[in-house]
C-alpha cells in the first residue's frame, strides 16, 4: 500500500453515499480464523476443504463433515473481531446506506458492529435439518478453550485457529438428529454445488447495482456467483477499491488496489477519509 493509493481510495470513500463493502475470508484472517484455502492442520490436514464442503461429502460421512464444521465454529467462537471489522462498522456508522455483503460464515462482522450483513454463504451458527430444513438449536458449547487464537498477518499459509487450542472433541462428531423428522442436522452454510440463498443474492445484486463505491476486502474472487458482485458494480460504473495483500482476478477492474492486510489498511483508509472523526 502506498500513500497516493490510500489517498485516492480515501477520496472515493469520502465522496461515497451508498458504498458496498464486500468481504471474504481474508477479512477474518487477522482474527485468527483461517482463510478457506489456507493449509489445514492437525487431523484436518488430511482433508481438502473443497472436498469437505459439499453435499456429497455430508451424505457420505456426516460425522466427518459435521465435526469439521464444529471445529471451525469453536475456532470462530474463540476469535475476536479485528480492527478491519471495526473499520467496516465505522464506515457503516458514517454512511448509513452502506451495505456489507459477506461470503464469510463467521459472526465477526456482527460482533464488530455491523448488525446485519448480507450473508451469501450462510452461517456457522444456523444449523438446520438436512431433510426438512427445520432450524436446529446449536449444540451446547464445550468448556471454554485456553484462550483466543493467536493473530497472524494473514498473508501466508498458517496454522488455523482450530489448531492453536485443540479440544477433546476435535474430530469427527455425529450430527444431532432433527427434532421433527430425525434426519441429521447439517451446518447452515452454502456448500459447493448448492445455490446461494436467493434473498441474500438478490439483496447483494441490488446493492451492488445501486452503489457508488464497492470496497472488496480479503477475497480471492474465485468462487462464483459471489465473485460477480464487484463485477456488477464495476459494469454499472461504480469505482471498485480492493484490499488484499496479493493480486486477485479483480485487480484489472479496480480503480485502486490497496495491497495489505485488512486489519491495517481499513483503519488507515477510514482515518484518511475522515481525518476529523474519532473512528477507525
Ligand atoms: N487481509 C486481506 N486479505 C487477506 C488477508 C488479510 N489479512 N489474508 C489473506 N487475504 C486474502 C488472500 O490473499 C485471499 O485472496 O484473502 C483471500 C482469501 O481467499 P479465500 O480463502 O479463497 O476466501 P474467499 O475468497 O472468501 O472464498 C470464497 O469460497 O470456499 C468458499 O464458501 C467459501 O466463502 C468462501 C468462498
Amino acid at each position: 500500500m502506498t500513500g497516493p493509493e490510500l489517498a485516492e481510495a480515501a477520496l472515493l470513500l469520502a465522496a461515497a453515499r451508498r458504498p458496498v463493502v464486500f468481504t471474504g475470508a481474508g477479512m477474518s484472517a487477522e482474527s485468527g480464523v483461517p482463510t478457506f484455502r489456507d493449509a489445514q492442520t492437525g487431523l484436518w490436514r488430511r482433508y481438502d476443504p473443497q472436498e469437505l464442503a459439499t453435499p456429497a461429502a455430508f451424505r457420505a460421512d456426516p460425522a466427518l463433515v459435521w465435526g469439521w464444521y464444529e471445529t471451525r465454529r469453536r475456532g470462530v467462537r474463540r476469535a475476536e473481531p479485528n480492527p478491519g471489522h471495526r473499520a467496516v462498522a465505522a464506515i457503516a456508522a458514517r454512511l448509513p446506506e452502506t451495505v456489507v455483503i459477506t461470503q464469510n460464515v463467521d459472526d465477526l462482522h456482527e460482533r464488530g458492529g455491523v448488525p446485519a450483513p448480507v450473508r451469501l454463504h450462510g452461517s456457522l451458527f444456523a444449523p438446520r435439518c438436512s431433510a426438512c430444513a427445520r432450524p436446529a438449536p446449536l449444540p451446547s458449547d464445550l468448556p471454554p478453550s485456553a484462550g483466543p487464537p493467536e493473530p497472524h498477518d494473514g498473508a501466508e499459509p498458517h496454522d488455523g485457529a482450530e489448531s492453536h487450542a485443540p479440544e477433546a472433541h476435535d474430530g469427527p462428531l455425529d450430527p444431532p438428529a432433527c427434532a421433527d423428522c430425525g434426519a441429521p442436522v447439517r451446518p447452515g452454510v452454502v456448500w459447493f454445488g448448492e445455490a446461494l440463498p436467493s434473498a441474500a443474492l438478490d439483496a447483494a445484486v441490488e446493492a451492488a447495482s445501486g452503489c457508488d463505491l464497492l470496497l472488496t476486502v480479503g477475497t480471492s474472487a474465485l468462487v462464483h456467483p459471489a465473485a460477480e458482485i464487484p463485477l456488477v458494480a464495476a459494469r454499472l460504473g461504480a469505482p471498485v477499491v480492493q484490499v488484499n495483500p496479493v493480486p486477485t482476478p479483480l485487480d484489472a477492474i479496480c480503480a485502486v488496489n490497496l495491497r495489505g492486510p485488512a486489519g491495517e489498511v481499513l483503519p488507515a483508509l477510514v482515518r484518511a477519509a475522515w481525518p476529523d472523526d474519532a473512528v477507525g
Side-chain angles (χ1 to χ4, degrees), residues 24-26 29-30 35-37 103 121 153-154 192 218-221 223 244-246 261-262:
E30 289 150 277
T35 64
F36 201 76
R37 272 153 253 283
Q103 301 165 85
H121 290 165
D153 68 12
F192 288 104
T219 176
S220 60
V223 176
N244 199 309
V246 303

Side-chain angles (χ1 to χ4, degrees), residues 10 13 33 37 49 51 69 90 100-101 105 122 140-141 146 150 162 165 171-172 181 229 246 248 263 266:
L13 180 57
V33 179
R37 272 153 253 283
E51 285 165 17
Y69 278 97
V100 178
I101 303 169
V105 293
S140 60
D141 268 328
E150 292 166 21
E162 294 93 337
C181 73
I229 296 301
V246 303
T248 78
L266 288 174

Side-chain angles (χ1 to χ4, degrees), residues 22-31 34-38 49-50 53 69 72 82 102-105 120-121 152-156 158 189-192 217-224 226 242-249 258 260-265:
F22 176 66
T23 68
M27 180 84 234
S28 299
E30 289 150 277
S31 295
T35 64
F36 201 76
R37 272 153 253 283
D38 273 345
Q50 302 204 46
Y69 278 97
R72 292 178 61 197
N82 67 58
T102 190
Q103 301 165 85
N104 297 343
V105 293
L120 292 179
H121 290 165
H152 60 84
D153 68 12
E156 299 292 331
H158 60 86
V189 301
V190 177
W191 282 328
F192 288 104
V217 183
T219 176
S220 60
L222 294 173
V223 176
H224 291 260
Q242 174 165 242
V243 179
N244 199 309
V246 303
T248 78
L258 299 173
E264 291 172 23
V265 173

